[in-house]
Amino acid sequence: MTRAAILDVALELASRDGLEGLTIGLLADRMNMSKSGVFAHFGSREDLQLEVLKLYHHRFEQEVFYPSVMEPRGLPRLKAMFARWIKRVSVEIASGCIYISGAVEYDDRPGQIREELVAMVQAWQGALLRCVQQSIDEGHLKPDTDAQQLVYEMYGLILALHHDARFLRMPGSVDRARQGFERLLQDYQNPPKE
């Protein structure tokens, strides 16, 4: 078995059970390998968890961030980022979001995994913040738009979506998140020029 195949299965398990639920023994059973065989690829459980986290972040960037930055600067890019983010969360309703579950698992637990998670989430929030600022600079959003507040509200929509769709299994949660984003944009957008 290759390291990549092991990481794919580890990511699936961590999405379902959280990073803390991921163990070398569980992964070995799932891969039909010995614990020492899995351990040979990762020096420790923490190393395994960090590699899973990096793989998750890489896939998030590939699916959400990089395709979105191909859109024109400003509001088209911001809309693309949110749409792809919603699409990703919609898929994760069945499995779970490692950023969200990781935040719950590691919110008060110091260490390298928490530091990595924080850095990854901050990088994404930073990308959103830059995109909102570009939307202001391009004149798509009002000049007095509080970029940090808008990012906060966007993040809140995603957290509510994940909670309502995954935990409460409420139908229509994805549509509610999309509607919430559209309402946000209406509040922040410059009125159309006549």
Side-chain angles (χ1 to χ4, degrees):
M1 296 293 160
T2 66
R3 181 180 172 92
I6 294 171
L7 276 174
D8 278 341
V9 172
L11 178 57
E12 177 189 326
L13 292 171
S15 294
R16 187 190 71 203
D17 301 332
L19 288 166
E20 279 302 299
L22 181 62
T23 65
I24 300 261
L26 180 63
L27 186 55
D29 287 346
R30 184 72 185 273
M31 296 296 298
N32 293 319
M33 295 175 67
S34 66
K35 287 182 186 179
S36 60
V38 172
F39 195 79
H41 290 279
F42 308 95
S44 68
R45 178 173 174 245
E46 183 177 72
D47 289 344
L48 170 63
Q49 291 167 321
L50 286 168
E51 290 302 312
V52 165
L53 194 51
K54 289 174 186 175
L55 176 61
Y56 180 83
H57 185 70
H58 172 76
R59 288 187 180 170
F60 184 89
E61 288 180 324
Q62 296 299 315
E63 292 175 27
V64 179
F65 177 71
Y66 291 124
S68 298
V69 296
M70 304 308 288
E71 299 294 329
R73 285 172 57 101
L75 205 48
R77 187 174 297 170
L78 185 64
K79 286 180 176 182
M81 289 171 96
F82 195 79
R84 285 186 174 91
W85 195 10
I86 288 259
K87 183 178 178 185
R88 171 123 182 147
V89 171
S90 298
V91 170
E92 291 176 335
I93 289 169
S95 61
C97 171
I98 289 184
Y99 289 154
I100 294 172
S101 64
V104 172
E105 290 179 286
Y106 293 94
D107 62 349
D108 60 356
R109 189 180 298 181
Q112 192 173 1
I113 295 172
R114 184 186 192 286
E115 290 170 17
E116 284 288 327
L117 266 168
V118 167
M120 290 170 181
V121 171
Q122 286 176 336
W124 175 235
Q125 287 183 343
L128 290 169
L129 190 62
R130 284 188 302 279
C131 192
V132 170
Q133 189 58 56
Q134 289 169 357
S135 299
I136 297 166
D137 296 344
E138 294 290 325
H140 300 153
L141 298 177
K142 295 175 187 173
D144 64 347
T145 296
D146 182 338
Q148 291 221 330
Q149 181 65 31
L150 179 51
V151 169
Y152 180 87
E153 291 171 359
M154 290 170 62
Y155 230 90
L157 287 169
I158 293 295
L159 292 174
L161 166 59
H162 194 270
H163 178 272
D164 285 4
R166 184 162 166 76
F167 180 60
L168 299 177
R169 293 185 174 91
M170 289 180 67
S173 298
V174 171
D175 289 335
R176 288 190 183 282
R178 286 188 181 118
Q179 289 171 16
F181 182 62
E182 288 304 316
R183 187 172 21 242
L184 276 178
L185 291 184
Q186 287 171 9
D187 288 346
Y188 286 104
Q189 275 182 285
N190 273 321
K193 294 178 183 175
E194 295 183 16

